[in-house]
Amino acid sequence: MQLFPCPFCGPREESEFHYGGEAGNLRPDGGDVTAERWAGYLHMRDNPKGPGREIWVHLTCGEFFAMSRDSVNHKVSGSSTLGKSEHGA
């Protein structure tokens, strides 16, 4: 089993986590969002091969965080709390 590094609790088994999506996919703001932009937010993903930054939630503590992970070999290079640009605050 793979260990994921929660920035709040430390390393934990991967079964304690849930994938939240790619980092930087911010929800469009406002009621005047076009159907194309909304569809892009919901469905269009880069899906890069190799290193990427993803949003995860640690189900035990309930905290969301960003994790840097390689999609080819699944190696995790780190995790951090979310910045304003990543969670839309």
Side-chain angles (χ1 to χ4, degrees):
M1 175 153 303
Q2 188 172 8
L3 293 178
F4 284 171
C6 174
F8 303 95
C9 304
R12 298 290 193 267
E13 293 183 1
E14 66 181 301
S15 62
E16 294 185 17
F17 297 86
H18 183 75
Y19 178 75
E22 66 184 48
N25 185 30
L26 300 180
R27 183 180 180 135
D29 187 26
D32 297 330
V33 177
T34 64
E36 293 81 18
R37 184 158 181 224
W38 186 249
Y41 164 73
L42 292 175
H43 305 293
M44 301 306 292
R45 300 290 178 266
D46 290 335
N47 197 20
K49 183 177 182 179
R53 196 157 161 83
E54 305 164 333
I55 304 298
W56 287 79
V57 62
H58 184 198
L59 300 173
T60 304
C61 70
E63 295 286 350
F64 285 81
F65 64 96
M67 182 164 54
S68 298
R69 186 177 69 91
D70 192 304
S71 63
V72 176
N73 60 23
H74 304 289
K75 181 179 178 182
V76 175
S77 58
S79 64
S80 62
T81 59
L82 295 176
K84 285 186 177 185
S85 64
E86 293 173 305
H87 64 67

